[in-house]
Amino acid sequence: MSAEPAKFVWYDLMTSDAKAAESFYQSVVGWNMQDAGMGDRSYIILSAGTTMVGGLMPIPEDARAMGAKPCWNGYIGVSDVDAYAARVTAAGGTIRRPPDDIPGVGRFAVAADPHGAAFILFKGNSDQQPAPVAAGTPGHVGWHELHAGDGEQAFTFYADLFGWTKDEALDMGPLGIYQTFSTGGAAVGGMMTKTADMPATCWLYYVNVESVDAAIARISHGGGKVLMGPHQVPGGSWIVQGLDPQGAMFALVSAHR
């Protein structure tokens, strides 16, 4: 296994109405949209400026048949998808879709931690990495948040698997400990035991925007729903959590209200 901590490298949305989702996120986040040209499947590339950051696709039929709902997925870059899939199951997680190839792109597997939060293992055909961007750059994911079945157990699972390390632990009183984590360098996310009003364990990805207040207006105008916020978090940033019109949960973060 690699000595370097594994990092989030890609994000995509599976949705029940791809065209409507394109319109919503183009308005709310400002992403550029372009068809990936994959022929037999629809996959839209989401870009911030000229940098590709994620994708958008209809829920695959096999996933729909198993009851999959609209949701965002995070891809974690690993050195060997098959080996990491074996390590996930050995650590008490599950593999929901066995390792498979995306022709011309790479290899992936759909995984879940021991309490059911999903993520994707990914190894691209190219080792070329996009140029790093400044923290807070609009259109890029600025924070990764796990609403876990058990926050401490979840951290151990991901730390052992991917080499992540603890950063600051924030005591949120009745809500418990919010443990921020690093994948090398500054903190990139946090983990907490999910609250009773969170329907299921999940990863939530916060996309950087210029202003959360302006984004909230676009969410409402586009038919989405604000679940929480605007709310200021330690460090001074402002966040909002919402549902898109198809029901996928998403979040936004900004240095400015």
Side-chain angles (χ1 to χ4, degrees):
M1 298 301 122
S2 172
E4 289 290 318
K7 296 176 171 60
F8 285 92
V9 296
W10 191 254
Y11 312 88
D12 64 21
L13 173 69
M14 292 196 314
T15 183
S16 56
D17 189 332
K19 284 296 182 185
E22 279 185 58
S23 177
F24 177 79
Y25 286 101
Q26 195 166 33
S27 169
V28 171
V29 178
W31 280 319
N32 299 318
M33 310 273 184
Q34 183 176 1
D35 191 282
M38 297 179 73
D40 62 335
R41 68 185 79 179
S42 171
Y43 196 87
I44 303 299
I45 300 294
L46 313 175
S47 298
T50 58
T51 305
M52 296 185 294
V53 297
L56 185 158
M57 64 178 175
I59 300 172
E61 283 305 317
D62 56 345
R64 190 190 300 272
M66 292 189 293
K69 304 295 184 186
C71 66
W72 279 94
N73 299 296
Y75 290 59
I76 299 172
V78 297
S79 55
D80 184 324
V81 169
D82 296 71
Y84 270 88
R87 290 183 65 191
V88 166
T89 55
T94 56
I95 297 300
R96 294 181 175 174
R97 178 167 177 172
D100 196 7
D101 292 321
I102 307 170
V105 177
R107 191 163 176 81
F108 79 106
V110 181
D113 68 25
H115 288 98
F119 57 93
I120 295 176
L121 301 168
F122 180 74
K123 173 71 166 68
N125 288 347
S126 169
D127 290 327
Q128 183 177 355
Q129 298 295 319
V133 298
T137 300
H140 292 261
V141 172
W143 196 250
H144 311 80
E145 186 170 84
L146 176 64
H147 295 261
D150 181 288
E152 190 62 36
Q153 291 177 17
F155 177 81
T156 299
F157 172 83
Y158 288 99
D160 290 349
L161 192 61
F162 298 126
W164 297 351
T165 57
K166 288 185 176 181
D167 198 81
E168 188 177 3
L170 305 172
D171 188 344
M172 300 194 299
L175 298 180
I177 299 297
Y178 188 89
Q179 178 64 60
T180 65
F181 68 91
S182 168
T183 60
V188 298
M191 301 181 186
M192 62 180 289
T193 301
K194 79 174 190 68
T195 57
D197 57 355
M198 181 66 74
T201 59
C202 66
W203 278 97
L204 182 61
Y205 305 102
Y206 288 72
V207 181
N208 298 318
V209 292
E210 293 280 2
S211 158
V212 292
D213 279 351
I216 285 171
R218 297 193 295 269
I219 290 170
S220 299
H221 180 75
K225 179 181 179 181
V226 173
L227 297 176
M228 187 279 287
H231 177 69
Q232 194 169 29
V233 296
S237 293
W238 289 86
I239 63 170
V240 60
Q241 297 174 356
L243 290 178
D244 70 21
Q246 288 69 51
M249 191 173 181
F250 68 99
L252 307 173
V253 59
S254 174
H256 308 289
R257 171 80 187 260

